[in-house]
Amino acid sequence: MALFAPVLIYAGAIQGALVYESVKEPVYQSHTYFELNEENAGEWLVAPGLPKLASLSNALRRESTRRMAPTPWVEHRAFAPHRQAQWKPYENMPRGTLPDDAVAKVGSLGVKSYYLPDLEIIDRFGLTDATIARNPPPKPPAGYTLLRRLAHERHPPPGYLKQRGVNFDVKPAARSEAEALSSAHYALEVAPNLWMPFDSDAHAWVAERFAERNLKSRQSP
């Protein structure tokens, strides 16, 4: 108990500082971690040795962020509403709006597939795709060390995405035609004041599948 109590107290102080100080961050930023120092968490670092422990924690979390694991829960808590705000409007889109043969590839799977249940989605990192999951990660050039990134190392085999018929790159929901076309080549009004921006290299497919729809586009590429 004599050894365990200080460890528990110190660990609790570091975690308390991370939680308390991190929630002050108003905006989520990709690949972020919260840096503890005397300026922003000095009141938490009063015990002897805690500043050194905080510095070690910063270094370990910085490296973990580079390798995609583990992401602090406070970051995920901010990330969830950020993603939901982007994609949740699509729940007002009528079912059957998208063509049956629309296929998209994504790198962030959960929220998009939840709000677009009719869209066939391929997880390009292979977490939900057996073929990509079994494709070996690329080898670094001679003399270089590959930075391992948890669940982000696998990629589709050559020609696999074409074989699967990937033809649709959907973007976060927009409120107007102008806003939609600012982020993608095509814009489709899927509900009142709800626009779906998307890109596609299959221009003939788009023209055929959306021929009867009020599809908008930028000038021809």
Side-chain angles (χ1 to χ4, degrees), residues 28 75-86 111:
Y28 169 84
E75 180 181 337
H76 273 154
R77 185 180 64 180
F79 185 50
H82 171 75
R83 282 293 194 194
Q84 287 175 329
Q86 290 181 313
V111 172

Side-chain angles (χ1 to χ4, degrees), residues 22-41:
S22 296
V23 296
K24 298 177 182 179
E25 291 292 301
V27 179
Y28 169 84
Q29 293 181 348
S30 182
H31 305 311
T32 190
Y33 70 97
F34 197 83
E35 187 91 15
L36 292 176
N37 53 50
E38 292 186 1
E39 180 179 347
N40 62 27

Side-chain angles (χ1 to χ4, degrees):
M1 288 298 296
L3 293 174
F4 179 70
V7 171
L8 184 62
I9 293 172
Y10 272 50
I14 291 293
Q15 187 61 33
L18 283 171
V19 173
Y20 182 79
E21 298 296 331
S22 296
V23 296
K24 298 177 182 179
E25 291 292 301
V27 179
Y28 169 84
Q29 293 181 348
S30 182
H31 305 311
T32 190
Y33 70 97
F34 197 83
E35 187 91 15
L36 292 176
N37 53 50
E38 292 186 1
E39 180 179 347
N40 62 27
E43 67 273 21
W44 293 89
L45 308 179
V46 293
L50 261 180
K52 180 65 176 178
L53 185 61
S55 176
L56 178 62
S57 172
N58 289 336
L60 290 173
R61 287 182 292 103
R62 186 185 309 118
E63 184 63 19
S64 293
T65 298
R66 292 179 68 225
R67 297 179 183 274
M68 300 291 189
T71 301
W73 73 269
V74 287
E75 180 181 337
H76 273 154
R77 185 180 64 180
F79 185 50
H82 171 75
R83 282 293 194 194
Q84 287 175 329
Q86 290 181 313
W87 298 92
K88 183 178 174 61
Y90 285 131
E91 68 182 359
N92 297 317
M93 180 176 68
R95 298 295 296 268
T97 296
L98 298 179
D100 293 338
D101 56 349
V103 182
K105 63 177 176 67
V106 301
S108 181
L109 185 67
V111 172
K112 297 178 185 178
S113 56
Y114 180 82
Y115 289 115
L116 295 170
D118 292 339
L119 178 62
E120 182 179 351
I121 288 179
I122 298 173
D123 170 26
R124 64 185 178 89
F125 291 127
L127 276 71
T128 62
D129 187 289
T131 299
I132 299 175
R134 292 181 173 89
N135 188 42
K139 294 182 179 180
Y144 289 85
T145 301
L146 181 68
L147 175 66
R148 303 297 304 271
R149 303 177 75 188
L150 183 66
H152 289 73
E153 295 181 345
R154 306 287 175 169
H155 299 284
Y160 179 68
L161 296 179
K162 182 178 180 180
Q163 174 191 337
R164 290 293 304 274
V166 171
N167 55 10
F168 197 72
D169 182 13
V170 62
K171 309 295 184 182
R175 293 166 294 182
S176 68
E177 176 186 337
E179 181 183 347
L181 290 177
S182 70
S183 61
H185 180 76
Y186 293 106
L188 179 68
E189 189 174 20
V190 296
N193 300 315
L194 176 59
W195 289 78
M196 173 180 284
F198 69 92
D199 287 319
S200 177
D201 292 330
H203 300 292
W205 173 84
V206 172
E208 180 182 347
R209 292 298 186 272
F210 296 95
E212 305 300 324
R213 306 293 300 277
N214 187 25
L215 182 70
K216 306 296 183 181
S217 65
R218 297 177 184 170
Q219 295 296 322
S220 299

